[in-house]
Amino acid sequence: MSMGQGSQAMTSTSSQSSMLPSSNAIPNSSNFQSSNPASPLPSVHGIGSPSQSAIEPMTVSPAKSSDMPSNGQQAAARANSSIRDNAISSLRQLCCKIILTGLEFNLKPVTHADIFSHMLNWLVNWDQKQLGTDESDGVKSWRPGKALIEWLHSCLDVIWLLVDEDKCRVPFYELLRSGLQFMENIPDDEALFTLILEIHRRRDMMAMHMKMLDQHLHCPTFGTHRIFSQTTPSISGEAVASLRYSPITYPSVLGEPLHGEDLAISIPKGSLDWERALRCIRHAICTTPSPDWWKRVLLVAPCYRGPSQGPTPGAVFTSEMICEATIDRIVELLKLTNSDVNCWQDWLVFSDIFFFLIKSGCVDFVYFVDKLVSRLTESDPHILRTNHVTWLLAQIIRVELVINALNSDARKVETTRKILSLHKEDRSSDPNSPQSILLDFISSCQNLRIWSLNTTTREYLNNEQLQKGKQIDEWWRHASKGDRMMDYMNMDDRSIGMFWVVSYTMAQPACETVINWLSSAGVAESLPATNLQSNERLMVMREVNPLPMSLLSGFAINLCLKLAYQMEESLFCGQVVPNIAMAETYCRLLLIAPHSLFRSHFNHLAQRSPSVLSKPGVTLLVLEILNYRLLPLYRYQGKSKALMYDVTKIISALKAKRGDHRVFRLAENLCMNLILSLRDFFLVKREGKGPTEFTETLNRVTVVTLAIIIKTRGIADADHLHYLQTMLEQILVSSNHTWSEKTLRYFPSLLRDFLIPRIDNRGIAIQAWQQAETTVINQCTQLLSSSADPTYVMTYISHSFPQHRQYLCAGAWILMQGRPENINSVNLARVLREFSPEEVTANIYMMVDVLLHNIQLELQRGHSLQDLVLKACANLTFFIWTHELLPLDIMLLALIDRDDDPHALRIVISLLDRQELQQKVKLYCMNRGAPEHWLYPGTFKRVELQTALGNHLSWKDRYPAFFDDIAARLLPVIPLIIYRLIENDAIDSADRVLAMYTQFLAYHPFRFTFVRDILAYFYGHLPPKLIVRILNVLDISKIPLSESFPQHINSSNPVICPPPDYFATLLLGIVNNVIPPLHNNSKSGSASDGLNNSMRAPPNKTPATSQSGQTNASDGQKAFYQIQDPGTYTQLVLETAVIELLSLPVTASQIVSSLVQIVVNIQPTLIQSSNGLHGATNGVGQGSVLPTSPSGGSTDSLGTNRSSPSVSGINVSSFVSRSGYTCQQLSCLLIQACGHLLAQLPPDFHVQLYIEASLIIKETWWLSDGKRSLGELDSAVGYALLDPTWAAQDNTSTAIGNIVALLHSFFSNLPLEWLEGTHLIIKHLRPVTSVAMLRIAFRIMAPLLPKLANAHNLFNKTLSLIFNMMVDVFGKNAQPSTPVEPLEVTDLIDFFHHIVHYEGQGGPVQANSKPRPEVLVLCGRAAESLRPEIQHLLSHLKPDANSSIYAATHPKLAQNTS
């Protein structure tokens, strides 16, 4: 057979196969891969392997060797096998020679692909045992023969020829992803070893471009709610909600970000990746992210997993990791306790998380106890001095998994003994405090519980502790004796402590006692309102004081669970209307233990009793609790969207139903609050399809919320970007509203471009009104005249046309003629109550349009504008306050949505100024108590229903209100009014409204978020006076603002930028409170703490200090209820820093420049000013010789007039000591903190960062020095782009390295949508004129591409930009100062090949990964502008099947070609 025929035959076998493997893949020839479980690389398959070759005779398997008749026959078989092996080797060598000859001709790419695949397969399986050999021979006694070595070399010759850069028949990249270097048994052959070394070298160089600088420091900080999804296939609808996100990824051998259960299990204990995982978990345990976050990342312990449970793709933390981090936290808290720091709050917060982790099955309890006891008795024998650990275990002793471990596990006796060994006698400095009493008795509680669990372990119990239990019983009998009830509002410390103890031993009696306390005032009959005739008796509990947080906080979690269940029985299933104290105590309970007690109320109550929500009043009470008490809790739990969908169902069912206005308006207000509280993109429907079920009001609020989210926080996910247009269509298909030009001016372009073309139908609506006006006025005259027949009401309701009903209020408006008393308000009220809620809304929107239109007409007739506005307000007062016919919140929203009418906002301001509204708000604040309701010690006053909600909403309803009030309905509306006033440049009016309602806005559940978002939304457009007014909405005493911040915002000379020390202190606050610590305090600086050799902390790290100078340790950890908005202390610190920067009266350019200068020069600033190193050493400075070793360039890029070796104005000594880190560690963490902070700011700051970064790079002196050789520049670039963590240890940090690390930290925290702005860096750096500059720009941008793998448009733009830089240096028309060899940039070429495969796969490259055809078209088009020698290296990244193996083996492209 001729070579041509042979090649055609080989082509026919794989013309439809992928590259690689070939179409004749051997599935069992891939065992070499098993030693590298973290690698995503495919195994290599091919024809002709020893076990499957068609030319080899089948012989007896070694497993059957026992059937051989004699040793002589075995020897003969071995001899025959050897002869056969030599024959196969000779045949293979002959094949290679034929192939080598064929390669001199122009074979088809697909043939090259097949040849390459087969050669690799032969190499990988070179040592596979021959069939028929005896097992006893062993591998060790076998040596490769001469013939085998010869064909190995021939294979290598073929491979080298295929990947030869001159011909480039196959890209060298195919060797990098082949996995050849992971052969388990590499032969002792220099030629093969040389190839493998080259693969390793090029793979490492290529993989570097996939990873960001200091990537090992990138951990979730929980300072931002956003959780990035890692390259997942496109999905939509509800599937998104159940998707697991990975908080961290681990780089593969090709630099690809990996995560998943298999990977987590394969991480060796004590490795760098293990420590990074623990760093993340420890940080999470201390900063308490929501249970929703934990559920996404945790793996159930193997001992608790069912056999049917499959792998968990998003989880990255194993139960062993969780166990170790949990023990670390226990040891850390013990150390704080032993140092007499009051950290009881920290223990309480931790016990809540600990209970959740144990109950979720994420920790193997038996393993945990074993490791805990080992750690406390062996590693740290003197640390256990108190009973806190016994108390912690007592919290979980009733969890089912724990009961099973102590009752039925084979190791129950050993586990029980270990638990009991942790008991310590309490030696508190304050023995009478409640927690001391609890800790004193907790061992007794524990012994009693274990005694009741299992008879086989009773002999190990402490008899003294069992006897001590009698004291608990005696106290309880005395406390509950007789008819006298304990007054929980006046309990002394001992009584509180003993009641806490009882909660662990007698949960049911304690629960009944609490319920009895809350109902102790008895019941009273609620009389119907005067306008109602009802025979139904309504019994209501009389008010008492709710239980204080100080008492609730010490209850056993088991009691809290029982209490919550029992309270739900009283609140939602009882025959008596509960008092406010019961509802308030229930809410406090849920807030105090958010991990252990949270429940989604609609699902939870439906599971308890499917009919419960159909009971009168239950839905109302649930909605009130959610709207006025638990909104922040739902947001913290990540359940706001799910709740929004549940409430939408209620709204959808009621909006067309006649009469149910109270439930509907409360649900609508709740949904409005939920929508406005969202901080990331959301689907308007759970299933993602069809028009929304929102009301017109909610549709409008949704669009405004989207504008705020996109503009201030960005869209984090590629799928959400794709879905945005569909979502807007879903919203607008049922809404005719158009937004004013002034509002659209502030909308982000994504929304603005979609909304601008919408046609304003208001003119058509007015024409329709004018056509129907005569008929409507006739109907209204009959219905609303003072002498109207009362029976006409039902006639109108039953027989009027629906299109006429929407004009009822407009008709009434016309009939008033400025004299509201002309209207029969009784009839109007009856009709409006009989309307459906959406009909009332339509009436309000129509009336607003008509009244604004009439004002325009009256102005044309010469009437005074002031008189017209006063008349309008008088008429609206009739509707809203005099007769309470219409809901105020909807009326105000309708008016501000017509802000393109010059008079609408004037009417709004007039309404807000009305005494009636001021009085309503004042009464609400008086009756409601303090804004922090959970701290309010007094009795809550129940406001009479009609007083609270008005006639329209209360109507025939008798069920009393708990927290609801018509004034409270304005809480989401006032901020929207402020937005609209600012959009219309009514700054003075906005200032006045804020001044009037600042006290009222203290009750807003998300006022901190409101301040942060409004400052970001209007950044650059707010005058300093209004900014200060907005800041006053906050409770400044509870916000960790910088000490000098007030003087900077009140400065009389705003042009002066705050000093560097201000910005440095801001960053230090983020390092100490937001960035995960590099080490664990509990381990006292042991060697396993470091993330690398240079990043270990001294053993005496002081407690982290907040920006105000107070230490976290002394303050204690903040419980969730203390920081409900934004939710965690890390978020509070980070968002406070954002608020500060957004409020400063200087430009974004000045702020960014100050931050960048600190970061760029941070190492010289810290090191030169520290006592340890007196100035930079090892030749630092402006030497004439470029750095050629890591010790030569700490300020190599600082020799321009823009930079100095250090930043003046920073108090370095206190700065470093307050951090608890070394100078080197702190410098690297400050870079991370700065990137994280800048990523939270609006895009105005990003633009300035890109400008600043490109200027620093371009002004680097050695880059612009034309006298330097390529070798010197290459060396300088190499050192300039070292990870700052490595550079800092030798004092070789560079400005370029720091700025690139800053950009990478910034990129890693940016939402995907904002990554498009990164292109500005390259636009400022171009034209790129040298390979050195190209490498720097490439190092900046290349790691972005893996993040964009599912955002195809953005990926294509970024890839095209990088190609343009290549063209700048290697283009046909480029004039480089020094000629460059193409082989000097092979790592860039390899990266291009890898990233297009990565994007084609949508994740780590697999065996069947293929580039997308459109990307090959893009690459091919870009390559046409390159010089031939570079273009040649990219010849396979083309859609041409005659020159590209990827095109030739791509199903679509190969099919098109054929």
Side-chain angles (χ1 to χ4, degrees):
M1 180 172 67
S2 69
M3 190 63 215
Q5 290 171 326
S7 66
Q8 289 171 9
M10 293 176 74
T11 302
S12 68
T13 65
S14 62
S15 59
Q16 297 300 317
S17 68
S18 63
M19 176 65 188
L20 297 166
S22 76
S23 55
N24 294 321
I26 306 300
N28 63 353
S29 60
S30 58
N31 56 355
F32 75 97
Q33 181 67 22
S34 61
S35 64
N36 185 36
S39 170
L41 296 177
S43 56
V44 179
H45 308 303
I47 62 171
S49 65
S51 61
Q52 299 275 336
S53 175
I55 63 173
E56 297 169 13
M58 292 300 292
T59 57
V60 181
S61 166
K64 302 289 186 181
S65 60
S66 59
D67 298 335
M68 294 287 187
S70 67
N71 289 338
Q73 288 180 336
Q74 291 179 15
R78 283 198 298 273
N80 290 335
S81 175
S82 178
I83 295 169
R84 188 202 58 205
D85 290 347
N86 287 332
I88 292 172
S89 296
S90 300
L91 185 56
R92 286 185 174 176
Q93 186 175 2
L94 179 61
C95 288
C96 289
K97 288 181 178 178
I98 295 171
I99 290 170
L100 286 168
T101 305
L103 289 177
E104 296 176 8
F105 301 90
N106 291 324
L107 304 181
K108 291 185 176 181
V110 71
T111 307
H112 291 148
D114 262 339
I115 293 171
F116 184 77
S117 176
H118 303 330
M119 293 299 105
L120 285 179
N121 193 70
W122 286 356
L123 286 175
V124 166
N125 294 286
W126 74 272
D127 65 337
Q128 188 160 337
K129 290 172 121 185
Q130 303 305 304
L131 294 174
T133 58
D134 187 73
E135 194 74 30
S136 62
D137 285 347
V139 176
K140 293 181 181 178
S141 62
W142 183 78
R143 292 286 183 269
K146 180 181 178 183
L148 187 143
I149 292 296
E150 287 178 351
W151 76 252
L152 270 179
H153 287 180
S154 297
C155 280
L156 293 175
D157 290 341
V158 173
I159 287 175
W160 278 118
L161 202 58
L162 286 170
V163 300
D164 177 51
E165 251 67 358
D166 290 336
K167 292 287 187 180
C168 205
R169 297 176 179 89
V170 173
F172 195 92
Y173 167 71
E174 287 304 321
L175 280 174
L176 304 188
R177 73 162 176 150
S178 69
L180 179 64
Q181 68 271 33
F182 299 117
M183 289 169 60
E184 286 186 343
N185 188 18
I186 301 175
D188 187 11
D189 182 77
E190 185 178 347
L192 181 57
F193 195 62
T194 301
L195 175 63
I196 290 175
L197 277 180
E198 180 62 10
I199 292 173
H200 275 292
R201 186 187 70 82
R202 287 185 60 164
R203 184 206 66 197
D204 291 344
M205 291 178 66
M206 183 204 73
M208 176 186 69
H209 297 298
M210 294 286 286
K211 296 183 282 189
M212 297 185 175
L213 288 188
D214 274 352
Q215 184 166 305
H216 60 285
L217 294 182
H218 294 176
C219 275
T221 66
F222 311 115
T224 173
H225 66 283
R226 187 182 302 120
I227 304 172
F228 288 110
S229 58
Q230 300 291 337
T231 57
T232 48
S234 294
I235 52 177
S236 59
E238 195 169 2
V240 175
S242 60
L243 191 68
R244 285 177 180 252
Y245 293 106
S246 176
I248 56 176
T249 59
Y250 304 102
S252 74
V253 291
L254 291 179
E256 301 163 322
L258 300 179
H259 61 84
E261 179 179 348
D262 294 339
L263 176 67
I265 292 170
S266 71
I267 294 173
K269 191 168 184 177
S271 67
L272 190 67
D273 286 338
W274 178 277
E275 286 300 327
R276 183 161 172 247
L278 283 187
R279 179 179 175 228
C280 182
I281 303 167
R282 291 184 196 119
H283 182 54
I285 289 173
C286 291
T287 53
T288 59
S290 71
D292 180 62
W293 180 87
W294 286 106
K295 288 172 184 174
R296 292 175 188 273
V297 302
L298 295 179
L299 287 169
V300 175
C303 60
Y304 303 135
R305 296 188 67 169
S308 60
Q309 271 187 279
T312 310
V316 286
F317 302 130
T318 63
S319 59
E320 284 192 356
M321 293 174 181
I322 299 294
C323 179
E324 183 174 331
T326 303
I327 293 172
D328 285 345
R329 180 59 176 163
I330 291 172
V331 172
E332 186 178 2
L333 288 174
L334 285 173
K335 288 183 176 179
L336 283 172
T337 304
N338 293 341
S339 62
D340 293 330
V341 172
N342 181 13
C343 55
W344 179 241
Q345 180 67 60
D346 302 61
W347 281 105
L348 290 173
V349 172
F350 176 63
S351 71
D352 182 35
I353 298 174
F354 181 64
F355 183 92
F356 168 77
L357 293 174
I358 295 292
K359 190 173 183 180
S360 303
C362 301
V363 177
D364 179 343
F365 179 71
V366 175
Y367 175 84
F368 168 78
V369 170
D370 181 59
K371 292 297 178 186
L372 176 65
V373 172
S374 172
R375 176 79 175 273
L376 295 181
T377 57
E378 297 171 16
S379 304
D380 296 295
H382 303 297
I383 196 171
L384 189 62
R385 305 175 196 168
T386 65
N387 245 351
H388 285 84
V389 177
T390 299
W391 165 79
L392 197 63
L393 294 175
Q395 288 279 36
I396 60 164
I397 203 163
R398 293 175 188 270
V399 173
E400 185 180 355
L401 295 174
V402 176
I403 292 174
N404 292 340
L406 299 178
N407 212 12
S408 54
D409 190 274
R411 296 158 293 177
K412 59 187 176 185
V413 173
E414 180 188 356
T415 303
T416 302
R417 291 180 67 179
K418 287 179 177 178
I419 289 175
L420 294 171
S421 72
L422 296 171
H423 162 69
K424 293 288 178 184
E425 290 297 330
D426 188 70
R427 295 185 181 86
S428 172
S429 57
D430 183 10
N432 294 318
S433 68
Q435 55 259 44
S436 295
I437 292 168
L438 173 60
L439 294 174
D440 185 34
F441 280 92
I442 199 66
S443 292
S444 177
C445 301
Q446 188 188 67
N447 276 264
L448 289 168
R449 179 59 186 160
I450 294 174
W451 188 88
S452 67
L453 276 178
N454 198 326
T455 56
T456 59
T457 56
R458 288 181 180 177
E459 61 184 284
Y460 305 106
L461 297 176
N462 185 321
N463 194 51
E464 183 183 334
Q465 292 298 329
L466 290 173
Q467 293 301 316
K468 199 172 182 178
K470 293 180 180 179
Q471 296 181 36
I472 305 172
D473 292 342
E474 187 179 333
W475 180 88
W476 179 246
R477 277 197 303 271
H478 177 75
S480 56
K481 185 171 61 176
D483 297 331
R484 181 178 58 84
M485 179 171 289
M486 197 174 354
D487 181 3
Y488 60 89
M489 291 304 296
N490 295 300
M491 293 172 74
D492 58 23
D493 283 355
R494 174 164 177 79
S495 297
I496 291 173
M498 288 307 296
F499 195 81
W500 287 357
V501 172
V502 168
S503 75
Y504 287 84
T505 58
M506 295 179 277
Q508 190 57 40
C511 177
E512 291 169 2
T513 299
V514 172
I515 298 297
N516 291 338
W517 281 348
L518 291 171
S519 55
S520 59
V523 296
E525 184 174 357
S526 173
L527 299 174
T530 53
N531 60 338
L532 293 176
Q533 299 298 321
S534 174
N535 297 323
E536 182 187 356
R537 299 186 68 186
L538 194 66
M539 306 305 293
V540 182
M541 282 187 195
R542 290 193 179 96
E543 283 305 322
V544 294
N545 295 72
L547 266 67
M549 293 297 254
S550 57
L551 178 61
L552 290 172
S553 63
F555 285 0
I557 293 177
N558 179 56
L559 171 60
C560 293
L561 289 166
K562 283 182 176 292
L563 264 178
Y565 190 88
Q566 192 61 47
M567 285 182 178
E568 286 167 353
E569 191 72 26
S570 299
L571 287 168
F572 309 122
C573 305
Q575 299 302 312
V576 177
V577 177
N579 52 22
I580 297 176
M582 180 81 74
E584 175 64 27
T585 303
Y586 174 71
C587 296
R588 291 179 181 184
L589 209 56
L590 297 182
L591 293 175
I592 221 164
H595 287 75
S596 308
L597 300 185
F598 177 76
R599 65 277 322 272
S600 291
H601 281 80
F602 285 107
N603 294 338
H604 175 71
L605 293 175
Q607 286 172 2
R608 285 191 62 167
S609 172
S611 61
V612 68
L613 289 171
S614 62
K615 290 182 62 177
V618 172
T619 300
L620 281 169
L621 178 53
V622 173
L623 290 173
E624 282 196 45
I625 285 174
L626 294 172
N627 197 31
Y628 299 112
R629 288 297 187 265
L630 299 182
L631 277 175
L633 178 64
Y634 270 78
R635 185 174 75 170
Y636 171 70
Q637 299 281 348
K639 301 298 183 187
S640 291
K641 296 173 191 176
L643 178 59
M644 179 182 75
Y645 301 139
D646 289 336
V647 177
T648 302
K649 288 180 184 176
I650 297 175
I651 292 171
S652 178
L654 293 179
K655 65 182 178 182
K657 188 178 177 183
R658 287 170 55 178
D660 281 344
H661 297 282
R662 180 180 174 189
V663 178
F664 176 86
R665 291 298 172 195
L666 179 57
E668 186 179 48
N669 194 260
L670 169 58
C671 207
M672 198 185 310
N673 272 315
L674 283 167
I675 292 168
L676 290 167
S677 75
L678 295 173
R679 292 177 293 181
D680 55 358
F681 195 84
F682 58 98
L683 309 180
V684 287
K685 293 195 72 175
R686 196 193 296 266
E687 62 279 5
K689 296 179 181 177
T692 71
E693 296 173 338
F694 288 161
T695 62
E696 171 68 13
T697 303
L698 293 177
N699 278 328
R700 298 182 184 189
V701 169
T702 301
V703 173
V704 173
T705 301
L706 278 175
I708 295 170
I709 288 172
I710 295 171
K711 190 171 181 182
T712 65
R713 301 177 191 272
I715 299 177
D717 193 273
D719 290 327
H720 294 161
L721 269 174
H722 297 151
Y723 174 66
L724 178 60
Q725 182 168 341
T726 304
M727 178 173 169
L728 289 171
E729 290 167 354
Q730 289 176 295
I731 294 169
L732 299 176
V733 71
S734 55
S735 172
N736 293 320
H737 185 61
T738 53
W739 281 263
S740 72
E741 184 181 335
K742 290 182 177 178
T743 298
L744 289 174
R745 179 180 58 175
Y746 286 96
F747 272 21
S749 58
L750 278 174
L751 280 185
R752 186 169 59 246
D753 295 345
F754 186 89
L755 295 173
I756 280 178
R758 277 177 66 80
I759 299 171
D760 187 352
N761 293 318
R762 206 172 335 164
I764 299 172
I766 291 297
Q767 287 179 8
W769 151 252
Q770 290 170 337
Q771 291 170 1
E773 185 174 2
T774 304
T775 305
V776 170
I777 294 300
N778 286 335
Q779 290 177 335
C780 288
T781 302
Q782 295 180 66
L783 179 68
L784 302 179
S785 65
S786 54
S787 58
D789 183 357
T791 60
Y792 184 71
V793 171
M794 294 312 298
T795 304
Y796 178 84
I797 292 169
S798 304
H799 297 96
S800 60
F801 291 120
Q803 63 266 36
H804 288 163
R805 288 186 193 177
Q806 65 178 320
Y807 300 130
L808 173 63
C809 289
W813 181 276
I814 298 298
L815 289 179
M816 282 182 188
Q817 297 177 342
R819 299 174 65 84
E821 61 273 12
N822 293 342
I823 295 296
N824 187 328
S825 59
V826 175
N827 282 1
L828 182 57
R830 284 185 61 196
V831 173
L832 287 173
R833 289 170 189 155
E834 292 291 346
F835 275 4
S836 70
E838 271 294 71
E839 284 181 315
V840 173
T841 302
N843 262 273
I844 293 172
Y845 284 118
M846 195 66 236
M847 182 177 73
V848 165
D849 284 348
V850 169
L851 78 87
L852 292 173
H853 176 69
N854 277 6
I855 287 176
Q856 295 284 5
L857 294 178
E858 294 294 326
L859 281 174
Q860 293 171 11
R861 294 169 186 154
H863 290 88
S864 159
L865 175 61
Q866 186 173 358
D867 291 344
L868 292 172
V869 170
L870 286 173
K871 188 186 295 184
C873 287
N875 287 355
L876 289 175
T877 299
F878 166 85
F879 278 105
I880 297 167
W881 287 298
T882 308
H883 296 286
E884 300 171 332
L885 302 174
L886 296 172
L888 171 62
D889 52 339
I890 307 301
M891 179 69 75
L892 290 173
L893 288 170
L895 283 164
I896 65 172
D897 278 340
R898 290 305 186 208
D899 62 313
D900 47 357
D901 186 288
H903 315 302
L905 291 179
R906 284 194 62 175
I907 296 173
V908 169
I909 298 298
S910 298
L911 289 176
L912 293 178
D913 282 338
R914 295 285 300 196
Q915 199 58 41
E916 296 92 336
L917 179 55
Q918 298 285 336
Q919 192 63 29
K920 276 275 185 189
V921 170
K922 186 177 180 181
L923 279 172
Y924 174 77
C925 295
M926 284 174 55
N927 293 327
R928 170 71 163 67
E932 294 177 328
H933 61 87
W934 56 92
L935 297 180
Y936 182 60
T939 305
F940 284 87
K941 298 177 183 176
R942 194 189 294 276
V943 181
E944 196 268 323
L945 180 61
Q946 188 172 345
T947 304
L949 297 179
N951 291 326
H952 177 69
L953 293 181
S954 59
W955 193 23
K956 294 179 181 178
D957 213 323
R958 290 191 59 199
Y959 196 80
F962 285 72
F963 312 115
D964 201 8
D965 193 282
I966 199 67
R969 302 284 180 91
L970 294 182
L971 285 170
V973 177
I974 299 292
L976 291 176
I977 293 174
I978 303 299
Y979 270 85
R980 205 50 51 86
L981 290 172
I982 296 172
E983 288 163 2
N984 284 269
D985 302 317
I987 301 300
D988 290 340
S989 297
D991 186 88
R992 196 156 57 84
V993 170
L994 277 171
M996 277 192 294
Y997 290 96
T998 291
Q999 182 186 359
F1000 176 61
L1001 286 175
Y1003 294 90
H1004 195 293
F1006 304 112
R1007 58 171 164 163
F1008 183 88
T1009 301
F1010 160 65
V1011 170
R1012 184 255 186 225
D1013 285 350
I1014 198 169
L1015 291 174
Y1017 192 80
F1018 294 111
Y1019 182 73
H1021 298 89
L1022 299 175
K1025 181 185 173 186
L1026 184 59
I1027 288 174
V1028 172
R1029 180 71 72 188
I1030 291 170
L1031 291 174
N1032 285 332
V1033 171
L1034 300 172
D1035 185 349
I1036 300 296
S1037 65
K1038 293 183 171 64
I1039 308 297
L1041 293 167
S1042 303
E1043 287 181 3
S1044 60
F1045 174 66
Q1047 70 189 53
H1048 294 311
I1049 59 168
N1050 294 314
S1051 171
S1052 58
N1053 189 358
V1055 181
I1056 299 176
C1057 191
D1061 192 61
Y1062 166 77
F1063 294 104
T1065 304
L1066 212 58
L1067 294 179
L1068 182 63
I1070 294 171
V1071 168
N1072 283 338
N1073 297 292
V1074 180
I1075 301 290
L1078 288 180
H1079 52 278
N1080 177 32
N1081 290 347
S1082 69
K1083 289 191 177 179
S1084 301
S1086 65
S1088 61
D1089 289 334
L1091 285 173
N1092 58 43
N1093 291 335
S1094 68
M1095 301 303 288
R1096 296 197 182 103
N1100 59 343
K1101 183 182 188 300
T1102 56
T1105 307
S1106 69
Q1107 295 175 55
S1108 60
Q1110 297 174 325
T1111 61
N1112 293 343
S1114 61
D1115 288 348
Q1117 189 173 354
K1118 300 288 185 185
F1120 165 72
Y1121 62 83
Q1122 295 173 299
I1123 41 174
Q1124 295 182 43
D1125 181 30
T1128 66
Y1129 190 70
T1130 46
Q1131 283 177 289
L1132 181 66
V1133 171
L1134 183 64
E1135 300 277 289
T1136 299
V1138 170
I1139 286 173
E1140 286 194 35
L1141 294 184
L1142 293 173
S1143 305
L1144 290 176
V1146 292
T1147 64
S1149 175
Q1150 290 172 287
I1151 293 169
V1152 171
S1153 180
S1154 297
L1155 288 169
V1156 168
Q1157 285 304 312
I1158 290 171
V1159 164
V1160 165
N1161 305 310
I1162 191 62
Q1163 288 90 356
T1165 302
L1166 294 180
I1167 295 171
Q1168 290 177 17
S1169 304
S1170 69
N1171 296 326
L1173 294 174
H1174 300 283
T1177 58
N1178 296 326
V1180 174
Q1182 304 303 317
S1184 60
V1185 180
L1186 281 167
T1188 55
S1189 71
S1191 59
S1194 66
T1195 56
D1196 64 334
S1197 60
L1198 304 179
T1200 68
N1201 55 13
R1202 298 187 71 254
S1203 303
S1204 59
S1206 64
V1207 181
S1208 59
I1210 298 179
N1211 185 354
V1212 174
S1213 57
S1214 68
F1215 193 72
V1216 175
S1217 65
R1218 278 187 293 158
S1219 75
Y1221 291 109
T1222 65
C1223 295
Q1224 288 84 354
Q1225 291 172 322
L1226 181 58
S1227 65
C1228 300
L1229 290 179
L1230 286 170
I1231 294 172
Q1232 296 297 312
C1234 187
H1236 194 54
L1237 175 58
L1238 287 168
Q1240 312 306 312
L1241 296 168
D1244 309 57
F1245 291 84
H1246 307 171
V1247 173
Q1248 297 303 322
L1249 174 62
Y1250 302 143
I1251 294 171
E1252 196 75 21
S1254 55
L1255 280 174
I1256 287 173
I1257 293 169
K1258 286 166 74 173
E1259 292 184 7
T1260 303
W1261 64 272
W1262 49 265
L1263 270 177
S1264 55
D1265 188 350
K1267 300 175 183 177
R1268 303 298 169 183
S1269 68
L1270 287 176
E1272 287 179 311
L1273 282 173
D1274 191 53
S1275 173
V1277 169
Y1279 289 123
L1281 295 176
L1282 275 176
D1283 284 276
T1285 48
W1286 290 107
Q1289 63 181 319
D1290 289 329
N1291 191 23
T1292 59
S1293 302
T1294 62
I1296 286 182
N1298 286 354
I1299 199 70
V1300 174
L1302 171 63
L1303 289 170
H1304 284 174
S1305 170
F1306 174 70
F1307 294 163
S1308 69
N1309 290 291
L1310 274 187
L1312 185 134
E1313 178 213 346
W1314 286 354
L1315 286 173
E1316 188 165 358
T1318 58
H1319 299 171
L1320 279 175
I1321 304 173
I1322 305 306
K1323 290 176 181 175
H1324 289 302
L1325 287 177
R1326 292 186 66 196
V1328 179
T1329 56
S1330 67
V1331 176
M1333 183 66 86
L1334 173 65
R1335 285 195 168 280
I1336 293 169
F1338 207 90
R1339 192 71 186 87
I1340 293 171
M1341 297 301 292
L1344 272 182
L1345 290 171
K1347 290 172 68 76
L1348 307 178
N1350 285 322
H1352 299 307
N1353 290 336
L1354 188 49
F1355 177 89
N1356 291 347
K1357 288 181 183 178
T1358 308
L1359 186 64
S1360 180
L1361 195 67
I1362 294 176
F1363 266 118
N1364 290 341
M1365 293 191 298
M1366 290 284 288
V1367 173
D1368 286 346
V1369 181
F1370 298 111
K1372 293 176 180 176
N1373 302 320
Q1375 296 289 328
S1377 54
T1378 311
V1380 179
E1381 286 293 326
L1383 293 181
E1384 294 179 15
V1385 290
T1386 52
D1387 56 321
L1388 309 188
I1389 302 299
D1390 291 337
F1391 174 81
F1392 280 124
H1393 285 81
H1394 183 52
I1395 200 63
V1396 298
H1397 281 83
Y1398 185 91
E1399 192 259 357
Q1401 180 68 29
V1405 177
Q1406 308 293 330
N1408 58 351
S1409 298
K1410 307 174 189 70
R1412 289 189 306 118
E1414 51 266 45
V1415 174
L1416 288 180
V1417 171
L1418 183 153
C1419 295
R1421 192 181 301 123
E1424 290 173 2
S1425 302
L1426 294 168
R1427 302 205 311 248
E1429 62 270 29
I1430 297 290
Q1431 191 177 140
H1432 169 69
L1433 297 174
L1434 295 166
S1435 59
H1436 293 280
L1437 296 182
K1438 290 181 179 180
D1440 181 9
N1442 294 318
S1443 61
S1444 164
I1445 61 171
Y1446 302 130
T1449 56
H1450 198 292
K1452 293 181 181 177
L1453 295 173
Q1455 188 177 4
N1456 295 341
T1457 307
S1458 60

